[in-house]
Amino acid sequence: MKATQQLRNEHEGVKIMLNILEQVCRQLETDGNLNEEHFDGILEFLKVFVDKCHHGKEEDLLFPALITAGVSKDGPIAVMLQEHEMGRNYVKSMSDAYAACAGGNESASKTIRKNALAYITLLRNHIEKENNVLFVMADSLLSEKTQDELFEGFERIEEERIGAGKHEEFHGLLGKLSKMYLT
């Protein structure tokens, strides 16, 4: 499998979680309820799988490989990095508002919703740009050998940053929450 295909596959899981988060926001708006266990899992997925693992693969390995292949770091890569940072800020704001909500601040649920919806929009657009522009560029510029090396590096990042078995746990979480929120 090409390294870029692994990233595309991960995007599919991220899109499922974004759909779940969107439903959680609807429920929060409708009845003010937020299942803490579910939201804890969602936040962990966003912080660990999306940011530490997926974005880590892109930032630490793919983007440098593209720069080495001649892609300007001031072009699409700069946009992707900026969007990663924006996403981190939305997730931090969601986490902070969630902590405030758990501490009894009822108005914090509006902040959770606002940041979650902005994050969903950002990431959906971000994924489209990566899948349809950046990864296409990578597939045309990077040799099979480089793709293989990236794939091996991606596996190391996953093991080091999220640990053995955690990827499967996240897939289990996606399956469980999908049944609850998307059916």
Side-chain angles (χ1 to χ4, degrees), residues 122-157:
L122 172 75
L123 244 62
R124 284 180 176 155
N125 291 328
H126 179 82
I127 287 170
E128 288 304 309
K129 285 184 243 179
E130 284 187 341
N131 284 350
N132 298 314
V133 178
L134 196 71
F135 297 166
V136 172
M137 192 183 306
D139 288 342
S140 70
L141 290 172
L142 302 178
S143 68
E144 193 173 318
K145 179 179 184 271
T146 301
Q147 285 268 7
D148 290 344
E149 290 168 354
L150 285 172
F151 187 85
E152 289 172 20
F154 289 176
E155 294 298 304
R156 277 192 307 278
I157 283 178

Side-chain angles (χ1 to χ4, degrees), residues 35-80:
N35 181 302
E36 290 180 15
E37 179 189 343
H38 298 171
F39 202 67
D40 285 337
I42 292 167
L43 285 175
E44 182 185 23
F45 182 91
L46 300 179
K47 291 174 183 177
V48 176
F49 181 76
V50 175
D51 194 38
K52 283 174 73 174
C53 184
H54 181 80
H55 289 163
K57 291 173 183 178
E58 294 171 344
E59 293 173 5
D60 295 354
L61 298 174
L62 178 65
F63 297 169
L66 287 170
I67 292 167
T68 299
V71 176
S72 169
K73 65 179 179 180
D74 297 325
I77 292 170
V79 173
M80 297 301 106

